[in-house]
Amino acid sequence: MTTPPSGPAASRASVTARAVITTEAAGGRTRLETLRSDPPLTLRQTGPGLVHLVSTAAGPLGGDHLLLVIDVAPGTELEVRSVASTLVLPGSSPGDSVMVVDARVGAGASLRFSPEPTVLAAGCSHRMAVRLSLAEDANVVWREEIVFGRHGERPGRCRTRFDATVAGRPLLRQELLIGDPAVDASPAVYGDARCVGSTLIAGPAWDAVRDQKGERRATIGDGWATLPLAGPGVLASALAQDTVELRSRLERAESMADVYAGHMAGENGACRAATDTSGGRRAVAW
Amino acid sequence: MGAQHDDLHDAADPHGRALRLGIGGPVGSGKTALVAALCRSLGPSMRLGVVTNDIYTTEDAEFLRRAGVLDPERILAVQTGCCPHTAIRDDIAANLDAVETLEERFGPLDLVIVESGGDNLTATFSRGLADRQIFVLDVSGGDKVPRKGGPGVTTADLLVVNKTDLAPLVGADLTVMSRDAAAVRDGRPVLFTSLREDRSAHSVAEWVTSLVNTWKHANDHVHEHTTPTTAA
Amino acid sequence: MRQDIGEGRGAGMRDRPSGDAALLLLADSRLPAGGHAHSGGAEEAVRLGTITGPEDLARFLRGRLATAGLVTAALAAAACELAAATADHPAEPYGQADGDGNTPDAGTDADPARPWRRLDAEADARTASPAQREASRVQGRLLIRTARRIWPSAVLDTLAKAVPEGAHHPIALGAAAASAGCDPYQAAMAAAYNSVTGPATAAVRLLGLDPVTVHRLLADLAPALNDAAHAACASLIDDVVPDGAPQNGPAHNAATQNGAAAKTRGSGWPALPGHTAPALDLLAEGHLNNPMKLFVS
């Protein structure tokens, strides 16, 4: 995940890996109950309630099946980051590379998931699936950034699926298809952008006001939008030419999320939890 | 959000609802000025609603709201996607939705005026949307316009020829216009106005008042003898 | 509900002769349901200069079909399937307490509105942009208003009551399609077709493009439209009427035996396509800020 190999495909055998992070409440604090690495998914605790994904092998490569399970116990807080961007490469094995993240966030718990971008190298064939299951009053900040190929390179193919539910109700279901030239360059889809990113910010503070007539207006800027969802959350969304511009746009969009939070946010802990889990960098202006 | 339209009545079914009056005519003939004038004259005595069909977004609606002739909430704007005539004639769904939204929010109403976006001489209101319609011309288009006819001029329940104050300046002969209009309109009325001089459009307001009274009476009459089955 | 809707299912809905003609009526841009005033983001793309001519437009349409078009097609197919499966449920019990004394709002299995709200929520979850949700609901509301007069049915009545602010357009389209006698594939086709014809027509009006050239673009999309409708139907799990589902009679009689059916009804909905188009989201929101717009969306 760290050092982009120069060759078109790395030549290790494909792997199936399952890494696990679970938390538990210990005397009012969050303790990591389980932290199980499974190379190439290697996990390191780097702070209280903070875990970094560390790369110990190239890839994902074609044929890899990687699963990351995250279970944030009720009342606990977890932040997951990565030390570097992920470079998805074609492999010597046939088949797609597959990355699945299965995350549950319990009642009153909060999760911040903000890894570095995923770069789709030429020739890759990648699938990503996120299943994010939130309890009624769970909080989450979930960021995804995807880069269409290394510099000057056409990306391989990628399909992502993101499903977030709150107490079983659908909050956000999105798929992205990347790598079909007829669609990538469509002014309806990515236009001339080479990076796409989004951050789901959800929690009880964003529960839509029931008696409100009509939809709330989004906030938009150059290449970014802050979209209040029908359910309790907002989606920050951005398109950009490069990762620096993408991050900057996404952070601007994220910073508008609190505009849509209800006044009760301070009382129910959403603000506090989100601030506490943002680590050293406060991307979101809470 | 819009109204909850659980009733299935035909749009033209008059049971228990306001008279729907369409006001159409070419761009610049004075439709919006006429709507403002009618609001001024009729507002004190009638429960009104207005739907505008602007070419550009909500310009006419904003004009009316700024004019202060009617509670701004009672003015709704419908966007027509470049085709104002489609929205009043071929696909009236959005206009019906707006009319019924007004009736639900403020009803019962006596009169809902639907102003078309400025279009050409062939644009008329569907009977599914408007019970009666007024077509507005102005003299600066030339005194030959009534003779040329077109469905608006010939079939509207009332033809209003506006800007009579400009007639001497543009060389329009009002006598010719009156005679030609009478010839193609089969006895339906024609009124000449100068909304710049008569900001309340007295003659048109009088015509509309009588229309609304007849409408109400007809409805009352209908209600005495029939059972409204599906009207909400 | 028209009699043939429920009955047609067992015999294979595509055998019904009314479907093809009804599809033409549903897909026709002259269907008076307010669609003519929506550009599907094309007006804003024209304003921003990302659609300037036929080449840009072709890419716009292809991308729109592959994303929003596929999603609406799948939702329409699911709605059509649900409508056909629930055609036996009479509309009358709605609003009354059911046999267990629960009100429909409590969300009992027998409440015919409940699956419609669930499916509508699936559409919400696939539409991150509030401007697009609003445009979709407005079009859905107008379509239901129109369809209830053209193809009156208990299903449309149920849907109108289940989502009074206006069901999402593909949901309304699927229910209207079923009421008109279409099958899910035809509903999907109508949705996919609508997803490109609106923007195409808008571009003709806004840019003065040669209408024949633009229709050629639409013709070029025909295979992609077929693919989208097929993919939409393939994404359905045909679980709406499992064995043992109630064939007739008051819904509450079947409540117990219907337990399994109620559990599986729509169990495939979460997996329906959710293809998103970030640029369309930005265009839809930007459109609302344009004071000189001609189209609603």
Side-chain angles (χ1 to χ4, degrees), chain A residues 161 172-177 186-189 215-218 220 224-225 227-230, chain C residues 59 63 122 124-126 128 130 133-134 270 272-277 279-280 282 285-286 289:
Chain A
R161 170 95 193 189
L172 182 66
R173 300 196 195 281
Q174 291 203 317
E175 287 177 64
L176 292 176
L177 283 180
S186 169
V189 186
E215 293 285 357
R216 289 171 297 176
R217 291 285 292 271
I220 57 170
W224 60 268
L227 306 166
L229 301 174
Chain C
R59 282 195 293 274
E122 291 290 345
D124 262 343
R126 286 164 175 78
R133 287 197 299 274
E134 181 77 24
L272 292 176
H275 296 66
T276 188
L280 282 181
L282 292 172
E285 300 300 339
N289 291 344

mmCIF file of all heavy atoms in Angstrom, chain A residues 161 172-177 186-189 215-218 220 224-225 227-230, chain C residues 59 63 122 124-126 128 130 133-134 270 272-277 279-280 282 285-286 289:
data_model
loop_
_atom_site.group_PDB
_atom_site.id
_atom_site.type_symbol
_atom_site.label_atom_id
_atom_site.label_comp_id
_atom_site.label_asym_id
_atom_site.label_seq_id
_atom_site.Cartn_x
_atom_site.Cartn_y
_atom_site.Cartn_z
ATOM 1 N N ARG A 161 -19.270 -0.107 -4.035
ATOM 2 C CA ARG A 161 -20.640 -0.113 -3.527
ATOM 3 C C ARG A 161 -20.592 0.305 -2.070
ATOM 4 O O ARG A 161 -19.773 -0.206 -1.304
ATOM 5 C CB ARG A 161 -21.248 -1.512 -3.666
ATOM 6 C CG ARG A 161 -22.585 -1.702 -2.955
ATOM 7 C CD ARG A 161 -23.767 -1.495 -3.867
ATOM 8 N NE ARG A 161 -25.004 -1.387 -3.109
ATOM 9 C CZ ARG A 161 -26.224 -1.381 -3.654
ATOM 10 N NH1 ARG A 161 -26.363 -1.465 -4.963
ATOM 11 N NH2 ARG A 161 -27.294 -1.255 -2.906
ATOM 12 N N LEU A 172 -27.902 5.633 2.854
ATOM 13 C CA LEU A 172 -27.203 6.004 1.616
ATOM 14 C C LEU A 172 -26.771 4.727 0.915
ATOM 15 O O LEU A 172 -26.142 3.851 1.525
ATOM 16 C CB LEU A 172 -25.979 6.866 1.949
ATOM 17 C CG LEU A 172 -25.168 7.386 0.759
ATOM 18 C CD1 LEU A 172 -25.986 8.373 -0.075
ATOM 19 C CD2 LEU A 172 -23.875 8.035 1.224
ATOM 20 N N ARG A 173 -27.128 4.600 -0.332
ATOM 21 C CA ARG A 173 -26.656 3.478 -1.142
ATOM 22 C C ARG A 173 -26.087 4.064 -2.423
ATOM 23 O O ARG A 173 -26.806 4.724 -3.170
ATOM 24 C CB ARG A 173 -27.801 2.531 -1.486
ATOM 25 C CG ARG A 173 -28.491 1.907 -0.264
ATOM 26 C CD ARG A 173 -29.313 0.712 -0.690
ATOM 27 N NE ARG A 173 -30.255 0.273 0.319
ATOM 28 C CZ ARG A 173 -29.920 -0.477 1.385
ATOM 29 N NH1 ARG A 173 -28.666 -0.834 1.569
ATOM 30 N NH2 ARG A 173 -30.849 -0.846 2.244
ATOM 31 N N GLN A 174 -24.809 3.839 -2.628
ATOM 32 C CA GLN A 174 -24.166 4.431 -3.803
ATOM 33 C C GLN A 174 -23.205 3.440 -4.434
ATOM 34 O O GLN A 174 -22.497 2.717 -3.741
ATOM 35 C CB GLN A 174 -23.377 5.679 -3.404
ATOM 36 C CG GLN A 174 -24.272 6.836 -2.972
ATOM 37 C CD GLN A 174 -23.574 8.175 -3.121
ATOM 38 O OE1 GLN A 174 -22.416 8.311 -2.780
ATOM 39 N NE2 GLN A 174 -24.292 9.159 -3.647
ATOM 40 N N GLU A 175 -23.185 3.452 -5.751
ATOM 41 C CA GLU A 175 -22.191 2.696 -6.494
ATOM 42 C C GLU A 175 -21.459 3.638 -7.414
ATOM 43 O O GLU A 175 -22.064 4.549 -7.988
ATOM 44 C CB GLU A 175 -22.869 1.601 -7.333
ATOM 45 C CG GLU A 175 -23.392 0.443 -6.506
ATOM 46 C CD GLU A 175 -24.116 -0.573 -7.379
ATOM 47 O OE1 GLU A 175 -23.478 -1.178 -8.248
ATOM 48 O OE2 GLU A 175 -25.329 -0.740 -7.185
ATOM 49 N N LEU A 176 -20.180 3.417 -7.559
ATOM 50 C CA LEU A 176 -19.405 4.165 -8.540
ATOM 51 C C LEU A 176 -18.811 3.168 -9.526
ATOM 52 O O LEU A 176 -18.347 2.103 -9.129
ATOM 53 C CB LEU A 176 -18.259 4.930 -7.877
ATOM 54 C CG LEU A 176 -18.608 6.103 -6.963
ATOM 55 C CD1 LEU A 176 -17.332 6.641 -6.339
ATOM 56 C CD2 LEU A 176 -19.321 7.207 -7.739
ATOM 57 N N LEU A 177 -18.860 3.521 -10.782
ATOM 58 C CA LEU A 177 -18.199 2.733 -11.816
ATOM 59 C C LEU A 177 -17.107 3.605 -12.405
ATOM 60 O O LEU A 177 -17.362 4.740 -12.802
ATOM 61 C CB LEU A 177 -19.184 2.363 -12.931
ATOM 62 C CG LEU A 177 -20.164 1.232 -12.660
ATOM 63 C CD1 LEU A 177 -21.040 1.013 -13.879
ATOM 64 C CD2 LEU A 177 -19.403 -0.044 -12.310
ATOM 65 N N SER A 186 -18.111 11.436 -19.205
ATOM 66 C CA SER A 186 -19.425 12.048 -19.377
ATOM 67 C C SER A 186 -19.563 13.280 -18.503
ATOM 68 O O SER A 186 -19.250 13.233 -17.311
ATOM 69 C CB SER A 186 -20.523 11.045 -19.015
ATOM 70 O OG SER A 186 -21.769 11.704 -18.939
ATOM 71 N N PRO A 187 -20.050 14.393 -19.072
ATOM 72 C CA PRO A 187 -20.289 15.560 -18.225
ATOM 73 C C PRO A 187 -21.357 15.304 -17.167
ATOM 74 O O PRO A 187 -21.516 16.114 -16.253
ATOM 75 C CB PRO A 187 -20.742 16.650 -19.212
ATOM 76 C CG PRO A 187 -20.897 16.011 -20.533
ATOM 77 C CD PRO A 187 -20.337 14.627 -20.495
ATOM 78 N N ALA A 188 -22.067 14.176 -17.279
ATOM 79 C CA ALA A 188 -23.061 13.842 -16.252
ATOM 80 C C ALA A 188 -22.439 13.085 -15.079
ATOM 81 O O ALA A 188 -23.035 13.011 -14.021
ATOM 82 C CB ALA A 188 -24.184 12.994 -16.864
ATOM 83 N N VAL A 189 -21.242 12.505 -15.290
ATOM 84 C CA VAL A 189 -20.719 11.600 -14.265
ATOM 85 C C VAL A 189 -19.479 12.186 -13.570
ATOM 86 O O VAL A 189 -19.575 12.642 -12.437
ATOM 87 C CB VAL A 189 -20.438 10.205 -14.848
ATOM 88 C CG1 VAL A 189 -20.033 9.240 -13.736
ATOM 89 C CG2 VAL A 189 -21.690 9.668 -15.551
ATOM 90 N N GLU A 215 -37.441 19.911 0.719
ATOM 91 C CA GLU A 215 -36.060 19.531 0.952
ATOM 92 C C GLU A 215 -35.242 20.744 1.391
ATOM 93 O O GLU A 215 -35.526 21.862 1.006
ATOM 94 C CB GLU A 215 -35.459 18.975 -0.350
ATOM 95 C CG GLU A 215 -36.071 17.666 -0.805
ATOM 96 C CD GLU A 215 -35.605 16.496 0.032
ATOM 97 O OE1 GLU A 215 -34.758 16.702 0.927
ATOM 98 O OE2 GLU A 215 -36.091 15.375 -0.197
ATOM 99 N N ARG A 216 -34.211 20.465 2.200
ATOM 100 C CA ARG A 216 -33.277 21.525 2.525
ATOM 101 C C ARG A 216 -32.351 21.762 1.337
ATOM 102 O O ARG A 216 -32.057 20.851 0.577
ATOM 103 C CB ARG A 216 -32.477 21.137 3.764
ATOM 104 C CG ARG A 216 -33.327 21.177 5.018
ATOM 105 C CD ARG A 216 -32.592 20.588 6.192
ATOM 106 N NE ARG A 216 -32.300 19.181 5.980
ATOM 107 C CZ ARG A 216 -31.600 18.438 6.825
ATOM 108 N NH1 ARG A 216 -31.107 18.975 7.904
ATOM 109 N NH2 ARG A 216 -31.394 17.164 6.586
ATOM 110 N N ARG A 217 -31.890 22.976 1.192
ATOM 111 C CA ARG A 217 -31.006 23.286 0.077
ATOM 112 C C ARG A 217 -29.582 22.843 0.384
ATOM 113 O O ARG A 217 -29.106 22.999 1.504
ATOM 114 C CB ARG A 217 -31.024 24.798 -0.188
ATOM 115 C CG ARG A 217 -32.344 25.292 -0.755
ATOM 116 C CD ARG A 217 -32.502 24.923 -2.224
ATOM 117 N NE ARG A 217 -31.568 25.636 -3.063
ATOM 118 C CZ ARG A 217 -31.824 26.821 -3.610
ATOM 119 N NH1 ARG A 217 -32.979 27.411 -3.415
ATOM 120 N NH2 ARG A 217 -30.939 27.417 -4.375
ATOM 121 N N ALA A 218 -28.923 22.316 -0.620
ATOM 122 C CA ALA A 218 -27.534 21.924 -0.472
ATOM 123 C C ALA A 218 -26.654 23.176 -0.455
ATOM 124 O O ALA A 218 -27.102 24.266 -0.793
ATOM 125 C CB ALA A 218 -27.133 21.021 -1.627
ATOM 126 N N ILE A 220 -23.163 24.451 -2.213
ATOM 127 C CA ILE A 220 -22.246 24.026 -3.271
ATOM 128 C C ILE A 220 -21.150 25.046 -3.491
ATOM 129 O O ILE A 220 -21.294 26.220 -3.187
ATOM 130 C CB ILE A 220 -22.980 23.777 -4.613
ATOM 131 C CG1 ILE A 220 -23.732 25.037 -5.060
ATOM 132 C CG2 ILE A 220 -23.916 22.607 -4.517
ATOM 133 C CD1 ILE A 220 -24.270 24.918 -6.468
ATOM 134 N N TRP A 224 -17.536 20.980 -5.481
ATOM 135 C CA TRP A 224 -17.949 20.273 -4.274
ATOM 136 C C TRP A 224 -19.379 20.624 -3.909
ATOM 137 O O TRP A 224 -19.924 21.640 -4.340
ATOM 138 C CB TRP A 224 -17.015 20.569 -3.103
ATOM 139 C CG TRP A 224 -16.915 22.012 -2.680
ATOM 140 C CD1 TRP A 224 -15.998 22.923 -3.122
ATOM 141 C CD2 TRP A 224 -17.753 22.709 -1.738
ATOM 142 N NE1 TRP A 224 -16.226 24.138 -2.511
ATOM 143 C CE2 TRP A 224 -17.293 24.040 -1.654
ATOM 144 C CE3 TRP A 224 -18.856 22.336 -0.955
ATOM 145 C CZ2 TRP A 224 -17.888 24.993 -0.831
ATOM 146 C CZ3 TRP A 224 -19.450 23.294 -0.128
ATOM 147 C CH2 TRP A 224 -18.950 24.608 -0.072
ATOM 148 N N ALA A 225 -19.971 19.754 -3.109
ATOM 149 C CA ALA A 225 -21.326 19.997 -2.637
ATOM 150 C C ALA A 225 -21.487 19.356 -1.267
ATOM 151 O O ALA A 225 -20.889 18.319 -0.975
ATOM 152 C CB ALA A 225 -22.352 19.415 -3.603
ATOM 153 N N LEU A 227 -24.485 17.818 0.706
ATOM 154 C CA LEU A 227 -25.837 17.396 0.366
ATOM 155 C C LEU A 227 -26.546 16.844 1.590
ATOM 156 O O LEU A 227 -26.167 15.767 2.092
ATOM 157 C CB LEU A 227 -25.776 16.312 -0.719
ATOM 158 C CG LEU A 227 -24.976 16.675 -1.980
ATOM 159 C CD1 LEU A 227 -24.688 15.424 -2.812
ATOM 160 C CD2 LEU A 227 -25.729 17.700 -2.810
ATOM 161 N N PRO A 228 -27.533 17.537 2.110
ATOM 162 C CA PRO A 228 -28.306 16.962 3.207
ATOM 163 C C PRO A 228 -29.127 15.780 2.692
ATOM 164 O O PRO A 228 -29.849 15.892 1.706
ATOM 165 C CB PRO A 228 -29.210 18.108 3.673
ATOM 166 C CG PRO A 228 -29.245 19.080 2.553
ATOM 167 C CD PRO A 228 -27.971 18.898 1.765
ATOM 168 N N LEU A 229 -28.985 14.640 3.344
ATOM 169 C CA LEU A 229 -29.676 13.429 2.891
ATOM 170 C C LEU A 229 -31.106 13.409 3.402
ATOM 171 O O LEU A 229 -31.492 14.186 4.277
ATOM 172 C CB LEU A 229 -28.924 12.199 3.389
ATOM 173 C CG LEU A 229 -27.465 12.082 2.931
ATOM 174 C CD1 LEU A 229 -26.784 10.907 3.619
ATOM 175 C CD2 LEU A 229 -27.389 11.943 1.416
ATOM 176 N N ALA A 230 -31.890 12.490 2.871
ATOM 177 C CA ALA A 230 -33.266 12.346 3.350
ATOM 178 C C ALA A 230 -33.274 11.811 4.786
ATOM 179 O O ALA A 230 -34.143 12.132 5.574
ATOM 180 C CB ALA A 230 -34.038 11.406 2.423
ATOM 181 N N ARG C 59 -22.211 12.148 -24.777
ATOM 182 C CA ARG C 59 -21.519 11.644 -23.571
ATOM 183 C C ARG C 59 -22.377 11.866 -22.331
ATOM 184 O O ARG C 59 -22.433 11.018 -21.446
ATOM 185 C CB ARG C 59 -20.159 12.337 -23.417
ATOM 186 C CG ARG C 59 -19.077 11.787 -24.327
ATOM 187 C CD ARG C 59 -17.699 12.252 -23.878
ATOM 188 N NE ARG C 59 -17.527 13.684 -24.052
ATOM 189 C CZ ARG C 59 -17.125 14.257 -25.187
ATOM 190 N NH1 ARG C 59 -16.842 13.499 -26.225
ATOM 191 N NH2 ARG C 59 -17.002 15.559 -25.274
ATOM 192 N N GLY C 63 -23.692 8.753 -20.008
ATOM 193 C CA GLY C 63 -23.359 8.716 -18.585
ATOM 194 C C GLY C 63 -24.604 8.762 -17.716
ATOM 195 O O GLY C 63 -24.690 8.098 -16.681
ATOM 196 N N GLU C 122 -35.897 3.479 -0.300
ATOM 197 C CA GLU C 122 -34.747 2.996 -1.067
ATOM 198 C C GLU C 122 -34.362 4.012 -2.154
ATOM 199 O O GLU C 122 -33.187 4.203 -2.461
ATOM 200 C CB GLU C 122 -35.048 1.631 -1.707
ATOM 201 C CG GLU C 122 -35.170 0.485 -0.693
ATOM 202 C CD GLU C 122 -33.825 0.123 -0.056
ATOM 203 O OE1 GLU C 122 -32.770 0.529 -0.567
ATOM 204 O OE2 GLU C 122 -33.839 -0.576 0.985
ATOM 205 N N ASP C 124 -34.897 7.281 -1.874
ATOM 206 C CA ASP C 124 -34.268 8.364 -1.117
ATOM 207 C C ASP C 124 -32.789 8.087 -0.892
ATOM 208 O O ASP C 124 -31.944 8.961 -1.069
ATOM 209 C CB ASP C 124 -34.947 8.502 0.260
ATOM 210 C CG ASP C 124 -35.995 9.608 0.295
ATOM 211 O OD1 ASP C 124 -35.982 10.472 -0.612
ATOM 212 O OD2 ASP C 124 -36.821 9.611 1.224
ATOM 213 N N ALA C 125 -32.490 6.842 -0.465
ATOM 214 C CA ALA C 125 -31.113 6.497 -0.113
ATOM 215 C C ALA C 125 -30.199 6.520 -1.342
ATOM 216 O O ALA C 125 -28.979 6.620 -1.204
ATOM 217 C CB ALA C 125 -31.063 5.120 0.542
ATOM 218 N N ARG C 126 -30.789 6.420 -2.533
ATOM 219 C CA ARG C 126 -30.002 6.443 -3.766
ATOM 220 C C ARG C 126 -29.955 7.832 -4.382
ATOM 221 O O ARG C 126 -29.474 7.999 -5.501
ATOM 222 C CB ARG C 126 -30.576 5.435 -4.764
ATOM 223 C CG ARG C 126 -30.269 3.989 -4.397
ATOM 224 C CD ARG C 126 -31.164 3.020 -5.150
ATOM 225 N NE ARG C 126 -30.790 1.631 -4.887
ATOM 226 C CZ ARG C 126 -31.102 0.968 -3.771
ATOM 227 N NH1 ARG C 126 -31.799 1.564 -2.827
ATOM 228 N NH2 ARG C 126 -30.718 -0.282 -3.613
ATOM 229 N N ALA C 128 -28.682 11.308 -3.251
ATOM 230 C CA ALA C 128 -28.043 12.125 -2.222
ATOM 231 C C ALA C 128 -28.394 13.600 -2.382
ATOM 232 O O ALA C 128 -28.436 14.339 -1.410
ATOM 233 C CB ALA C 128 -26.527 11.942 -2.272
ATOM 234 N N PRO C 130 -30.522 16.770 -2.595
ATOM 235 C CA PRO C 130 -31.892 17.174 -2.262
ATOM 236 C C PRO C 130 -32.628 17.784 -3.460
ATOM 237 O O PRO C 130 -33.844 17.600 -3.585
ATOM 238 C CB PRO C 130 -31.717 18.190 -1.127
ATOM 239 C CG PRO C 130 -30.292 18.591 -1.151
ATOM 240 C CD PRO C 130 -29.523 17.472 -1.769
ATOM 241 N N ARG C 133 -33.912 14.862 -5.317
ATOM 242 C CA ARG C 133 -35.049 14.236 -4.620
ATOM 243 C C ARG C 133 -36.316 15.049 -4.838
ATOM 244 O O ARG C 133 -37.393 14.508 -5.119
ATOM 245 C CB ARG C 133 -34.762 14.120 -3.111
ATOM 246 C CG ARG C 133 -33.753 13.056 -2.736
ATOM 247 C CD ARG C 133 -33.824 12.702 -1.255
ATOM 248 N NE ARG C 133 -33.553 13.822 -0.375
ATOM 249 C CZ ARG C 133 -32.348 14.217 0.023
ATOM 250 N NH1 ARG C 133 -31.279 13.564 -0.413
ATOM 251 N NH2 ARG C 133 -32.200 15.234 0.839
ATOM 252 N N GLU C 134 -36.175 16.358 -4.727
ATOM 253 C CA GLU C 134 -37.344 17.231 -4.903
ATOM 254 C C GLU C 134 -37.899 17.102 -6.332
ATOM 255 O O GLU C 134 -39.109 16.933 -6.521
ATOM 256 C CB GLU C 134 -36.934 18.684 -4.616
ATOM 257 C CG GLU C 134 -38.061 19.699 -4.747
ATOM 258 C CD GLU C 134 -39.003 19.670 -3.555
ATOM 259 O OE1 GLU C 134 -38.564 19.241 -2.478
ATOM 260 O OE2 GLU C 134 -40.169 20.053 -3.716
ATOM 261 N N PRO C 270 -32.656 -3.774 -1.117
ATOM 262 C CA PRO C 270 -31.404 -3.126 -0.708
ATOM 263 C C PRO C 270 -30.290 -3.296 -1.726
ATOM 264 O O PRO C 270 -29.410 -2.444 -1.827
ATOM 265 C CB PRO C 270 -31.060 -3.837 0.607
ATOM 266 C CG PRO C 270 -32.380 -4.259 1.159
ATOM 267 C CD PRO C 270 -33.191 -4.644 -0.062
ATOM 268 N N LEU C 272 -30.566 -3.380 -4.992
ATOM 269 C CA LEU C 272 -30.818 -2.768 -6.298
ATOM 270 C C LEU C 272 -29.692 -1.793 -6.639
ATOM 271 O O LEU C 272 -29.051 -1.249 -5.742
ATOM 272 C CB LEU C 272 -32.154 -2.021 -6.291
ATOM 273 C CG LEU C 272 -33.421 -2.866 -6.192
ATOM 274 C CD1 LEU C 272 -34.644 -1.961 -6.094
ATOM 275 C CD2 LEU C 272 -33.537 -3.797 -7.385
ATOM 276 N N PRO C 273 -29.459 -1.561 -7.918
ATOM 277 C CA PRO C 273 -28.359 -0.676 -8.310
ATOM 278 C C PRO C 273 -28.451 0.693 -7.635
ATOM 279 O O PRO C 273 -29.535 1.197 -7.365
ATOM 280 C CB PRO C 273 -28.546 -0.538 -9.827
ATOM 281 C CG PRO C 273 -29.276 -1.769 -10.239
ATOM 282 C CD PRO C 273 -30.155 -2.126 -9.079
ATOM 283 N N GLY C 274 -27.271 1.245 -7.368
ATOM 284 C CA GLY C 274 -27.229 2.562 -6.733
ATOM 285 C C GLY C 274 -26.237 3.480 -7.429
ATOM 286 O O GLY C 274 -25.625 4.327 -6.796
ATOM 287 N N HIS C 275 -26.092 3.289 -8.729
ATOM 288 C CA HIS C 275 -25.054 4.014 -9.466
ATOM 289 C C HIS C 275 -25.244 5.517 -9.355
ATOM 290 O O HIS C 275 -26.302 6.046 -9.674
ATOM 291 C CB HIS C 275 -25.052 3.593 -10.931
ATOM 292 C CG HIS C 275 -24.695 2.147 -11.103
ATOM 293 N ND1 HIS C 275 -25.507 1.134 -10.638
ATOM 294 C CD2 HIS C 275 -23.624 1.550 -11.651
ATOM 295 C CE1 HIS C 275 -24.934 -0.030 -10.907
ATOM 296 N NE2 HIS C 275 -23.790 0.193 -11.521
ATOM 297 N N THR C 276 -24.190 6.149 -8.915
ATOM 298 C CA THR C 276 -24.295 7.578 -8.676
ATOM 299 C C THR C 276 -23.432 8.343 -9.659
ATOM 300 O O THR C 276 -22.452 7.835 -10.185
ATOM 301 C CB THR C 276 -23.893 7.899 -7.218
ATOM 302 O OG1 THR C 276 -24.170 9.260 -6.954
ATOM 303 C CG2 THR C 276 -22.418 7.640 -6.995
ATOM 304 N N ALA C 277 -23.851 9.568 -9.913
ATOM 305 C CA ALA C 277 -23.154 10.443 -10.844
ATOM 306 C C ALA C 277 -22.865 11.749 -10.112
ATOM 307 O O ALA C 277 -23.731 12.605 -10.012
ATOM 308 C CB ALA C 277 -24.008 10.680 -12.081
ATOM 309 N N ALA C 279 -21.334 14.380 -10.861
ATOM 310 C CA ALA C 279 -21.539 15.610 -11.623
ATOM 311 C C ALA C 279 -23.026 15.967 -11.703
ATOM 312 O O ALA C 279 -23.400 17.140 -11.623
ATOM 313 C CB ALA C 279 -20.944 15.475 -13.031
ATOM 314 N N LEU C 280 -23.880 14.958 -11.840
ATOM 315 C CA LEU C 280 -25.318 15.245 -11.879
ATOM 316 C C LEU C 280 -25.784 15.874 -10.565
ATOM 317 O O LEU C 280 -26.650 16.754 -10.563
ATOM 318 C CB LEU C 280 -26.125 13.966 -12.144
ATOM 319 C CG LEU C 280 -26.183 13.444 -13.572
ATOM 320 C CD1 LEU C 280 -27.054 12.193 -13.631
ATOM 321 C CD2 LEU C 280 -26.718 14.498 -14.540
ATOM 322 N N LEU C 282 -23.971 17.771 -8.593
ATOM 323 C CA LEU C 282 -23.531 19.167 -8.607
ATOM 324 C C LEU C 282 -24.392 19.995 -9.565
ATOM 325 O O LEU C 282 -24.764 21.132 -9.259
ATOM 326 C CB LEU C 282 -22.057 19.260 -9.032
ATOM 327 C CG LEU C 282 -21.033 18.686 -8.047
ATOM 328 C CD1 LEU C 282 -19.643 18.660 -8.661
ATOM 329 C CD2 LEU C 282 -21.012 19.533 -6.766
ATOM 330 N N GLU C 285 -27.875 20.772 -8.046
ATOM 331 C CA GLU C 285 -27.856 21.804 -7.009
ATOM 332 C C GLU C 285 -27.513 23.163 -7.605
ATOM 333 O O GLU C 285 -28.085 24.182 -7.214
ATOM 334 C CB GLU C 285 -26.852 21.429 -5.914
ATOM 335 C CG GLU C 285 -27.160 20.101 -5.213
ATOM 336 C CD GLU C 285 -28.513 20.089 -4.519
ATOM 337 O OE1 GLU C 285 -29.046 21.181 -4.225
ATOM 338 O OE2 GLU C 285 -29.048 18.988 -4.279
ATOM 339 N N GLY C 286 -26.597 23.179 -8.564
ATOM 340 C CA GLY C 286 -26.254 24.450 -9.220
ATOM 341 C C GLY C 286 -27.450 25.033 -9.956
ATOM 342 O O GLY C 286 -27.668 26.250 -9.963
ATOM 343 N N ASN C 289 -29.657 27.353 -8.131
ATOM 344 C CA ASN C 289 -29.123 28.691 -7.846
ATOM 345 C C ASN C 289 -29.176 29.611 -9.060
ATOM 346 O O ASN C 289 -28.811 30.778 -8.948
ATOM 347 C CB ASN C 289 -27.667 28.586 -7.373
ATOM 348 C CG ASN C 289 -27.577 27.947 -6.007
ATOM 349 O OD1 ASN C 289 -28.569 27.844 -5.295
ATOM 350 N ND2 ASN C 289 -26.383 27.507 -5.632
#
